[in-house]
Amino acid sequence: MAESNDVAGEGVWGQLQGALKNRLNTQAYATWVRQITCLTDEPKRLLLGLPDMFSLDWVNNHYRHVFEEELIKIAPDASLDLKLHEPTSPPAQAEATLPTMPAAPASDGWTAGPRSPSAAQPKATAPAQPPPIQINTAPMNDRYTFDAFVTGPSNQLAWAAARAVAENPGTAYNPLFVWGGVGLGKTHLVQSIAHLLQTRSADAKIHYQTTEQFVNDVIHGIRFERMESIRSVYRACDLLIIDDIQFISGKEACQAEFFHTFNALYDAKKQVVITSDKLPREIKDLEERVRSRFQWGLIVDLKPPDLETRIAILKKKAITDALNFDDQILSYIAQNVRSNVRELEGCLIRVGAYATLSKREPTLELAQEVLRDLFPSQGRLTCDGIVKHVCGYFEVKVIDIKSTKRGRAIAYPRQIAMYLCRKHTASSYPEIGNALGGKDHTTALNAFNKIKKRMAEPEVQRHVEEIERMFLK
Ligand code: ADP
Ligand code: MG
C-alpha cells in the first residue's frame, strides 16, 4: 500500500490511530504518533516508520506495549514492526537534532484544552497547525500520604527527610534525591510531600511529573517551538517533583532543560524533589553538571524493608482494605516477598479476592494454595531467566551480552550473569557458557571466580545483591 500517515479510521493503521488517540494523552499522541508513517498496512502486518533514531527508541521503549495491546483488539493476527523511515532529511541521532516543525502561531501558548478527535492529521513533514500544548501535573494517588507510609529501619531516614522538606520547602534539603529499588515506596513518599504541603499551604504551586512526561513536554516544546510556554509552567512552581529521573539518561536536550529549570527554582529557593532507581553516579549518559546538581542537597535511600516492617505494611494495608486476615497469613506473605512492597500488597489483594470469589474463609492453607506458584523457589531459576534480570538491571541488550563484545559495559554484566547462573542454578560451566551465547566453559569458570573475588568490593556486592533481590523473593 502507498505510504500514508494521515488516514484516520481506515485500514488497520487508521483504526489503531483512533484507538491510540483515546488511550494516550493529547501531547503524547501529537508528539509520537503523528510523526509515524505507515509503510505497510495489511491484516497480518503493520509496518510503521519513525523519522529518527531517538523517536524509534522512545516509541519502542515506552509505547510499544500500548500499540500492541490496541493492535490485538483490531487485528489479532497482525504483527507490528517499527523501523527507521526518514523521508526528507538525514537521520537524527538525538533529540537535540530533531527536525523542527514550523513555528506555532504566537498566540496560543499552552492550554489545557480538550482533545479534538476529529482534528485532521497533519503530514509528518509539514503540519499545518501544531497541536495545543497541555502541561498538566501527573495524576497523584490520594492514598500516598505520610500517615499511610509505614516506617522502619529501611526507610526511616528517607521518611524524616521527606517530612522536613514538606514542612520547610526550599530550605531544608534542596534538592531531595530519593533513590531505591522498584516498588519500595519512592512515589508514595514524594507524593506525601505534595499532599502535606498542599494541606498546609493551599496556594503552593506544586508540580508532580513523571520523567517520561517531562521528556514528552520538552520534546514537544522543541518540535513545535513552544519551549517558552513549557518553561513558564515548570519554573513557576514552589515544589517541583520529578519521578524516576533515571529515564532522562541519554536525552541531552531534556537534561539541558532540566538543568536550567533546576537552577531557576534553586535560585528562587523553590523546592525540587527527585526520585530515581539509581544513585546519581550510576545513571548512564548523564551530563556532569546535571549529576552534580542531584548531589547538591540530600540523597536518601529506601532499602527493602525488614520482616517486621513488611508485616506492619501488610497489617496497615489489610486494615485499609478491610481484609480480616490473621497474622499467620501476613507472616507467610511477608516471609516470601522480600524486596518489593508493591508485590507484597499484590499478594494480599490476591488472597482477599480469591477468598471472596470462592466464598471461602481466608486461612493460611488458602493463602498457600493461591500464592505458592508466585513464590519462585531457587530450583526453578534458569540461566535464561537470570540473564534477562541481569540485562534489565544493567540496561544492556540480551543480544549484546551473548555477543563477543568485550567493552566493560558488556563484559562486566556478562561476568555477573555467569556468576549468578552458577550460584543459583544447577547448570555446569559448559551450559552456562552456552547460555551466554556459546562461550567456552573456561570463560564461565573464570567469570565466576573473578566475581566471587570481587564480592569484597562494596559496589560489586551491591550489584549482585540487587539483582538477586529481583529474582529471590
Ligand atoms: P516505587 O515508586 O519505589 O516503585 P511506590 O511508591 O509506587 O514504589 O510503592 C509501591 C506500593 O507500595 C504503593 O502502593 C505504596 O503505597 C506501597 N508502599 C511502599 N512502601 C511503603 C511503606 N513503607 N508503607 C506503606 N506502603 C508502602
Ligand atoms: Mg515510582
Side-chain angles (χ1 to χ4, degrees), residues 257-271:
E257 205 45 52
F258 176 85
F259 175 77
H260 294 299
T261 298
F262 176 88
N263 288 344
L265 292 174
Y266 186 86
D267 290 345
K269 298 204 166 20
K270 306 297 186 189
Q271 180 71 43

Side-chain angles (χ1 to χ4, degrees), residues 357-464:
L357 295 173
S358 62
K359 299 197 170 58
R360 285 165 63 185
E361 278 299 304
T363 58
L364 177 63
E365 290 67 40
L366 178 90
Q368 286 169 336
E369 193 183 312
V370 176
L371 300 175
R372 194 173 291 128
D373 289 344
L374 292 183
F375 300 153
S377 71
Q378 295 197 10
R380 274 188 234 124
L381 281 173
T382 62
C383 290
D384 279 349
I386 290 177
V387 167
K388 276 190 200 136
H389 282 297
V390 173
C391 289
Y393 180 80
F394 288 108
E395 294 178 3
V396 298
K397 296 192 180 125
V398 173
I399 197 168
D400 286 337
I401 208 170
K402 292 190 176 186
S403 72
T404 51
K405 287 185 188 167
R406 282 161 172 268
R408 194 189 123 80
I410 301 292
Y412 176 64
R414 186 185 295 133
Q415 287 166 355
I416 297 263
M418 288 173 162
Y419 171 83
L420 289 170
C421 288
R422 182 65 187 173
K423 186 171 164 194
H424 293 288
T425 72
S427 308
S428 62
Y429 287 118
E431 283 164 346
I432 294 170
N434 232 354
L436 270 295
K439 307 282 179 301
D440 196 72
H441 76 278
T442 49
T443 310
L445 173 69
N446 290 340
F448 178 79
N449 286 333
K450 186 162 182 180
I451 297 299
K452 195 170 159 198
K453 221 176 188 173
R454 290 191 63 194
M455 282 295 277
E457 297 169 33
E459 188 168 48
V460 176
Q461 185 190 0
R462 189 167 58 72
H463 289 154
V464 166

Side-chain angles (χ1 to χ4, degrees), residues 143-144 148-151 155 180-189 243 302 309 313 341-342 345:
R143 282 195 313 107
Y144 290 177
F149 195 85
V150 177
T151 53
N155 57 26
V182 175
L184 292 183
K186 299 183 293 297
T187 298
H188 185 142
L189 200 57
D243 207 354
L302 291 169
T309 313
I313 291 172
V341 180
R342 193 176 293 122
E345 294 182 339

Side-chain angles (χ1 to χ4, degrees), residues 23-280:
R23 176 109 180 239
L24 302 176
N25 73 32
T26 314
Q27 198 135 312
Y29 182 86
T31 307
W32 302 114
V33 182
R34 280 197 175 168
Q35 55 167 344
I36 292 176
T37 304
C38 181
L39 303 171
T40 305
D41 186 344
E42 291 164 1
K44 295 216 169 201
R45 180 156 195 249
L46 187 62
L47 175 62
L48 304 178
L50 276 298
D52 53 73
M53 268 319 285
F54 175 77
S55 302
L56 180 61
D57 278 352
W58 190 263
V59 171
N60 255 325
N61 290 334
H62 295 267
Y63 295 109
R64 193 184 173 101
H65 67 285
V66 179
F67 279 49
E68 283 171 347
E69 281 164 24
E70 295 303 329
L71 181 61
I72 206 161
K73 296 182 207 158
I74 297 162
D77 296 333
S79 67
L80 174 69
D81 288 310
L82 302 175
K83 66 174 262 200
L84 187 65
H85 172 75
E86 190 277 315
T88 49
S89 51
Q93 293 303 316
E95 84 258 43
T97 57
L98 284 173
T100 306
M101 299 294 185
S107 61
D108 72 2
W110 69 281
T111 68
R115 291 178 187 161
S116 54
S118 59
Q121 310 245 339
K123 298 268 183 201
T125 47
Q129 184 76 40
I133 285 193
Q134 210 175 13
I135 305 173
N136 295 326
T137 161
M140 286 202 271
N141 189 328
D142 291 344
R143 282 195 313 107
Y144 290 177
T145 61
F146 284 115
D147 289 343
F149 195 85
V150 177
T151 53
S154 56
N155 57 26
Q156 186 70 50
L157 182 65
W159 184 90
R163 265 212 86 107
V165 161
E167 279 159 12
N168 289 304
T171 50
Y173 308 110
N174 205 9
L176 178 67
F177 189 99
V178 181
W179 77 282
V182 175
L184 292 183
K186 299 183 293 297
T187 298
H188 185 142
L189 200 57
V190 298
Q191 289 193 8
S192 304
I193 300 177
H195 288 131
L196 185 61
L197 181 59
Q198 200 76 81
T199 33
R200 296 199 166 186
S201 159
D203 298 339
K205 285 200 208 90
I206 298 174
H207 198 83
Y208 166 79
Q209 200 57 285
T210 60
T211 299
E212 180 181 342
Q213 191 54 45
F214 175 71
V215 169
N216 276 350
D217 288 346
V218 172
I219 292 172
H220 196 91
I222 294 172
R223 186 164 277 160
F224 297 108
E225 298 189 353
R226 308 271 187 87
M227 269 324 292
E228 279 315 314
S229 313
I230 289 182
R231 280 180 194 139
S232 65
V233 174
Y234 276 96
R235 294 185 191 180
C237 307
D238 297 306
L239 167 63
L240 174 65
I241 304 175
I242 304 276
D243 207 354
D244 285 324
I245 198 77
Q246 72 276 3
F247 292 129
I248 210 168
S249 146
K251 302 182 179 70
E252 289 164 31
C254 298
Q255 291 179 21
E257 205 45 52
F258 176 85
F259 175 77
H260 294 299
T261 298
F262 176 88
N263 288 344
L265 292 174
Y266 186 86
D267 290 345
K269 298 204 166 20
K270 306 297 186 189
Q271 180 71 43
V272 179
V273 174
I274 300 158
T275 77
S276 168
D277 70 358
K278 296 185 177 60
L279 271 169

